Amino acid sequence: MRFSDIKGNEDVKRALVSMADSGRIPHSTLFYENEGGGAFPLVMAFLQYLACQNKHDGDSCGECPSCVKMSKLIHPDTHFVYPTNTGSKTGKMAAKDVTSEIYAKEFRELALSNPYFLEADMSAAFGIESKVCDVNVQEAKYIIDKLSLSAVENGYKAVVFFQPEKMNVQTANKLLKIVEEPPEKTLFLFITHNPEKVLQTIFSRCQCLRVVPPPRSELANLRSSADTQSYMDLFADLMKAVTDRDLLAALECADDLAAFDSREKQKAFLVYASEGFRKIFMIQQNLSQIAYLSEYEQDLFTNLASKCPKPYSRKAMDYLNSAAALLERNVNQKILFCDLVNRLFISL
Ligand SMILES: [Zn+2]
């Protein structure tokens, strides 16, 4: 993958090239994308650029042996880590022993055929669709072992780590030291669409880069639609009621939501609200520069960030997710939105 193969995200590309050219590369970088939003191709273009033996004009050559290995995802110094579980492939193995390496072939096939794959595509490729996946302690040991060996090709060793939020505390503790002080020329490249769920101990050690979703993504459509203003207004009303502790006003917002003329619009509101809470979280982490706030949102979200306690956004997003799942199942909408608003109200 060359940078020129990727559309958009020119700022991120420039930042990556300048990091590589200056040699000032953070040990740990967290790429925050909307799901399937293109962080993976950027990460691969960056690693290919770093390893290329003939780079020019801010891009890799695409033809040297390093580029070829990188583009086939078989470079010996690049390791891929993703959440796993047991499945038909793992036989009698216990879940705690399953690591990414077992699904390496499936991962490579998926990532080569569609570098914009989603979480669900990955579990489908591994044949573990219905299972809750995680990154276990065994995986942490595997990473530490791999990184303790010297690089095969005299360049950087890299761990491309999908969904670091799926690591439990034990795994994170095991990895903490190496993430903080990795061996020389070793990079951690984390990719997440849920930055607020990444354990603080890991998150705080990473340089954060925001990958802007491709123009045709769901969110971009949502932003460009004429309804966005109404979602924003309703979200503002709802959160004003919640932070003013005015339950009646909050429940009126629930009625307005239940009265939307289509379920698609209700879903779009939930997506907007979720994104709103993520922005609040980013502001609270002093990362407002990557929260991509419009002028109108600036005041609204900055104000809310000052009023909501830090763990609130995470809880709120969980409630919104559950509401979105229930919405698919034809439940009574008035009850659904009342319940959602109640939860948002009570948990503040
Ligand atoms: Zn090359």
Side-chain angles (χ1 to χ4, degrees):
M1 183 73 71
R2 304 177 69 219
F3 284 120
S4 59
D5 298 329
I6 303 169
K7 287 206 177 79
N9 278 297
E10 300 305 326
D11 291 348
V12 178
K13 288 186 210 169
R14 261 193 297 277
L16 292 171
V17 169
S18 119
M19 276 182 199
D21 290 348
S22 67
R24 286 197 303 273
I25 308 174
H27 300 313
S28 304
T29 309
L30 183 111
F31 291 78
Y32 154 37
E33 61 165 14
N34 293 76
E35 204 189 347
F40 178 63
L42 284 164
V43 165
M44 290 317 298
F46 175 56
L47 290 176
Q48 186 165 316
Y49 182 66
L50 271 179
C52 177
Q53 293 146 19
N54 191 22
K55 55 179 109 118
H56 52 84
D57 303 323
D59 213 338
S60 53
C61 73
E63 288 162 358
C64 71
S66 290
C67 280
V68 170
K69 281 179 232 170
M70 208 57 96
S71 64
K72 291 181 178 168
L73 308 179
I74 52 169
H75 194 284
D77 296 318
T78 297
H79 308 287
F80 299 99
V81 172
Y82 29 80
T84 58
N85 202 332
T86 50
S88 57
K89 244 212 121 176
T90 58
K92 286 184 178 162
M93 281 177 88
K96 68 176 179 48
D97 297 321
V98 178
T99 58
S100 301
E101 204 167 22
I102 291 163
Y103 294 109
K105 179 172 164 279
E106 288 77 8
F107 171 79
R108 215 176 290 131
E109 283 169 5
L110 170 69
L112 289 173
S113 68
N114 173 21
Y116 295 85
F117 61 90
L118 307 176
E119 196 176 332
D121 299 330
M122 190 149 59
S123 43
F126 299 168
I128 49 177
E129 288 94 329
S130 54
K131 301 207 167 166
V132 178
C133 298
D134 70 353
V135 179
N136 58 29
V137 181
Q138 191 58 33
E139 186 85 50
K141 287 184 191 150
Y142 165 85
I143 295 169
I144 293 168
D145 285 351
K146 286 270 176 199
L147 296 181
S148 68
L149 303 169
S150 43
V152 180
E153 304 221 336
N154 200 23
Y156 282 89
K157 285 177 284 178
V159 177
V160 180
F161 198 129
F162 289 86
Q163 297 175 268
E165 66 273 19
K166 296 281 173 81
M167 282 194 251
N168 56 34
V169 178
Q170 272 175 307
T171 310
N173 282 343
K174 185 109 196 139
L175 279 180
L176 211 51
K177 194 163 168 289
I178 200 163
V179 169
E180 196 166 34
E181 290 173 33
E184 216 192 343
K185 294 188 102 177
T186 301
L187 306 175
F188 279 92
L189 303 146
F190 295 103
I191 297 177
T192 183
H193 52 270
N194 288 309
E196 71 290 342
K197 289 187 181 161
V198 177
L199 287 166
Q200 227 5 265
T201 46
I202 296 289
F203 188 93
S204 63
R205 281 159 177 84
C206 294
Q207 172 91 41
C208 209
L209 275 179
R210 174 70 164 114
V211 178
V212 187
R216 284 193 314 167
S217 79
E218 183 188 10
L219 203 74
N221 283 338
L222 168 64
R223 283 209 178 110
S224 63
S225 81
D227 294 319
T228 308
Q229 186 64 42
S230 66
Y231 301 145
M232 197 151 51
D233 290 343
L234 184 54
F235 183 72
D237 288 348
L238 171 61
M239 288 312 295
K240 181 175 186 309
V242 169
T243 51
D244 287 352
R245 310 312 290 153
D246 184 346
L247 183 58
L248 268 183
L251 289 172
E252 276 174 24
C253 296
D255 285 345
D256 291 347
L257 265 168
F260 272 17
D261 59 14
S262 79
R263 203 187 300 176
E264 288 316 307
K265 286 187 185 170
Q266 291 166 332
K267 253 164 62 184
F269 173 82
L270 296 176
V271 172
Y272 178 84
S274 229
E275 194 58 23
F277 283 114
R278 194 167 272 148
K279 288 176 178 181
I280 293 170
F281 171 83
M282 287 294 169
I283 296 167
Q284 289 174 332
Q285 301 289 329
N286 295 319
L287 290 169
S288 49
Q289 74 280 10
I290 58 162
Y292 284 84
L293 301 162
S294 67
E295 211 170 301
Y296 176 91
E297 289 177 327
Q298 187 82 39
D299 290 344
L300 170 65
F301 289 123
T302 310
N303 180 33
L304 287 172
S306 69
K307 288 182 175 164
C308 299
K310 279 193 175 172
Y312 183 71
S313 287
R314 204 169 297 179
K315 278 191 257 173
M317 288 169 75
D318 283 342
Y319 299 147
L320 290 163
N321 273 341
S322 321
L326 284 171
L327 200 54
E328 299 285 339
R329 283 193 236 149
N330 263 337
V331 294
N332 181 313
Q333 297 182 353
K334 215 170 151 77
I335 295 175
L336 186 152
F337 287 112
C338 260
D339 179 62
L340 171 66
V341 165
N342 258 315
R343 284 171 197 269
L344 290 175
F345 192 88
I346 292 164
S347 58
L348 186 78

